Amino acid sequence: MDKLDYRLFIPYLFWRFINAKGLLCQKIIGIYYRSNIKPNMVLRLIKMSIDNINSYWLGMVGKKYVVTGAGSGIGYAIAEALLEAGACVAMLDRNIGGAEKLREQYRGTAQEPLVLQCDISDPSSIEKAFQNVRETLICLDGLVNCAGMLRAASIRDVALSEWDAVLRTNLTGYMLCSREFATLMSNGGSMVHIASVAAHHPQTHSGAYSASKAGITLLSRQIAAEYGPGGIRSNVICPGMIRTALSEPFYQQPGIKEQREAMTASRRIGAPQDIANAVAFMLSERACYINGAELTVDGGMETMLMDLIPRPGFSAKKSA
C-alpha cells in the first residue's frame, strides 16, 4: 500500500483476523486501488462484507423466528436485527402499522416478514396467529416474547381489572405463546423473553408491572427445565433504561436525560438496538449452551446501586 487510508482500516482488520471472509475484504482493497471507484461505493462494499460476516457468525440465514410486540420499540428492533442477519420473521403485534413499514423494505424478497395482528392477552388471537405461522413458515427455530403492558399504580390503588390486564399480557401471554410455538420447534430451538430490571427491584407505582416481569424470569427457567430435554432453550433478557417512543416524553423534561445517564456505569441511555443485539446472540447457536439464564442489559445501572448511598466526602467527587 502506498498510503494509509482510513477507509481501508475496517476491511484490513477483517482481512487480517477473519480468514473465512478475508478474501472478500482483500478484493475490496484491490478494487479501490486499481480503479477510480468513489469512496462511498467502497464503503457500501465494506458494509456488505460486514453484514455477510455478521450473518455467518450468528448462523441465522434461513432460520425462522416469531417476535411478539414487533410493531414498535424493542420488538421492532429485534425483528429488524433478525432480518438483517438473514432470518425469516413473523411479526406479531396488536398494532401492525409499524411492522408493515419493515415489511415494505423486504417486500418481494424471500425474507418478506409475515405480519400478523395479535393480542397475546387473548388466547383465541394467539391461536389464530399460530395457525397462520404454521401454514406459512411450517416450522420455527425460535420465539421472542416481547409484547408488554405497563399500568402505573401502587399496590394500594391498582384496580383488579388493571392488575389482571397486565398479568394477562406480560405473563400469561408469554406462557401461551411459548406453549403454542414450541410445538413448531420439532428440531429444537430457542426462546428469549423480554423482562426488565424491574424484575429485580420493587418500584413504587409499578406493582403489577414489576410482579409480572419477575414472573417472566421464573417462567423462563420453568420452560428451560421442561423443554430443555427436547432441544429447546429458554432465556431472559432484562433491559434497563431504553429510550423508545413510549418513554420519550420523560426525556423531554429538563434534566431527566442527564440524571438517568448518571445512574449507569456506561453513562448513557440504552437504545432498542442494544437489546436486539443481545437477543440475536441468545437466539443463535453461538449461545447453544446457555439455558435458563438471565442477561441484564442495562449499561451497568444495577452496578451503580451503592453509589446512590450518600457518603460525605465522596458523593460530590466526579470521575474524570
Side-chain angles (χ1 to χ4, degrees), residues 93-126:
D93 204 295
R94 287 190 299 180
N95 183 354
I96 62 174
E100 289 288 359
K101 293 178 182 178
L102 189 55
R103 177 159 68 175
E104 280 301 316
Q105 298 179 31
Y106 288 86
R107 189 173 295 281
T109 71
Q111 282 187 270
E112 181 177 336
L114 176 65
V115 175
L116 300 170
Q117 190 168 41
C118 179
D119 178 358
I120 70 166
S121 69
D122 179 2
S124 64
S125 184
I126 294 174

Side-chain angles (χ1 to χ4, degrees), residues 78 143-146 170-171 174 178 190-200 212-224 233-240 275 278-283 287 290-298 302:
I78 292 169
L143 163 70
V144 182
N145 271 317
C146 188
N170 294 1
L171 189 56
Y174 278 38
S178 299
S190 176
M191 297 184 191
V192 177
H193 315 279
I194 306 301
S196 168
V197 291
H200 306 152
S212 69
K213 292 300 184 178
I216 290 170
T217 63
L218 189 53
L219 171 65
S220 176
R221 289 157 59 192
Q222 187 72 30
I223 293 169
R233 298 183 295 111
S234 177
N235 294 290
V236 167
I237 300 289
C238 291
I275 307 304
V279 170
F281 169 72
M282 294 295 269
L283 285 174
I290 302 176
N291 198 8
E294 289 179 41
L295 176 62
T296 298
V297 184
D298 68 350
E302 290 187 334

Side-chain angles (χ1 to χ4, degrees), residues 201 263 300-309:
H201 309 284
M263 292 177 65
M301 185 181 76
E302 290 187 334
T303 302
M304 301 298 291
L305 179 62
M306 294 300 291
D307 264 25
L308 298 179
I309 301 174

Side-chain angles (χ1 to χ4, degrees), residues 60 65 67 77-87 89 111 144 280 283:
M60 287 186 162
Y65 301 101
V67 181
I78 292 169
E80 187 175 40
L82 297 180
L83 287 165
E84 288 176 354
V89 181
Q111 282 187 270
V144 182
L283 285 174

Side-chain angles (χ1 to χ4, degrees), residues 259-289:
Q259 291 175 39
R260 290 191 169 196
E261 286 175 338
M263 292 177 65
T264 71
S266 296
R267 294 299 191 266
R268 73 175 179 89
I269 304 300
Q273 189 61 45
D274 292 314
I275 307 304
N277 291 337
V279 170
F281 169 72
M282 294 295 269
L283 285 174
S284 77
E285 285 302 305
R286 294 285 177 173
C288 64
Y289 202 54

